[in-house]
Amino acid sequence: MRDSRRLSLNMAGLYVGVVVGAAVMLFPFLWTVITSITPEGSLSGGPTLLVKNPTVNAYRALMDAMPMWRIIANSLGVAVVSTGLQLVTGSMAGYGFGRLKFRGKNVVFALYLATLMVPLQVLVVPLFIEMKTLNLQDTYMALLAPSVASAFGVFLLKQAVEGVPRELDEAATLDGAGHLRIFTLIILPLVRPALATVAVFAFMGSWNSFLWPLVVMRS
């Protein structure tokens, strides 16, 4: 009984800590929303959590100044498509590096991981020249092309694939399953947490991307 009570208290303390931490993390976003609906921002009556006479004039002025709905739709669409492409390429490459045997696999994987050390700023000019040569500048394809594959996603999914017992592959092979069925029916369901992690990072990376769209887009 003492152990169960102690466990319950520990869990309660853990939940309280998580809730408090979440509140602290969400407070800046709440403050941003409150400031945006405050008349004249927070300059007139000072900072406050209770807004008197809330207004959406700031949002109306923003919508009149630029096509914000189109901008949000573009960002959302590109982020979703980029995330989907990275999940497909990352999971397939992770399966290839984690399960298949071929000559030079470790060397190729090391070279691929080495691209993580190359910052985007170094690649902007060559990528722009390439897109201009292919007549892809100022298109959605130009936004998506550099983010079709992610070295971080491949690394994370390779580690997840290697964590799946190989006995499952062997049992499926004895039942007549090939690589495609093993990949889709066994590996993917068992690496869903890693897929979710890659999806979050991929979506955030695409949504927060600024330099590359600024360079390659004109309209």
Side-chain angles (χ1 to χ4, degrees), residues 10-52:
N10 290 337
M11 292 300 296
L14 179 62
Y15 283 125
V16 170
V18 170
V19 171
V20 172
V24 172
M25 294 290 291
L26 291 175
F27 182 77
F29 300 97
L30 177 62
W31 183 259
T32 302
V33 174
I34 291 175
T35 304
S36 68
I37 62 175
T38 303
E40 300 181 7
S42 59
L43 301 177
S44 57
T48 178
L49 292 177
L50 300 176
V51 182
K52 295 181 179 179

Side-chain angles (χ1 to χ4, degrees), residues 116-149:
L116 288 172
M117 296 184 293
V118 182
L120 176 63
Q121 290 80 357
V122 177
L123 301 175
V124 164
V125 174
L127 283 175
F128 178 78
I129 295 174
E130 182 178 2
M131 295 301 155
K132 185 176 181 180
T133 304
L134 297 174
N135 293 322
L136 291 178
Q137 63 179 15
D138 201 23
T139 63
Y140 289 109
M141 182 57 67
L143 292 175
L144 292 172
S147 62
V148 168

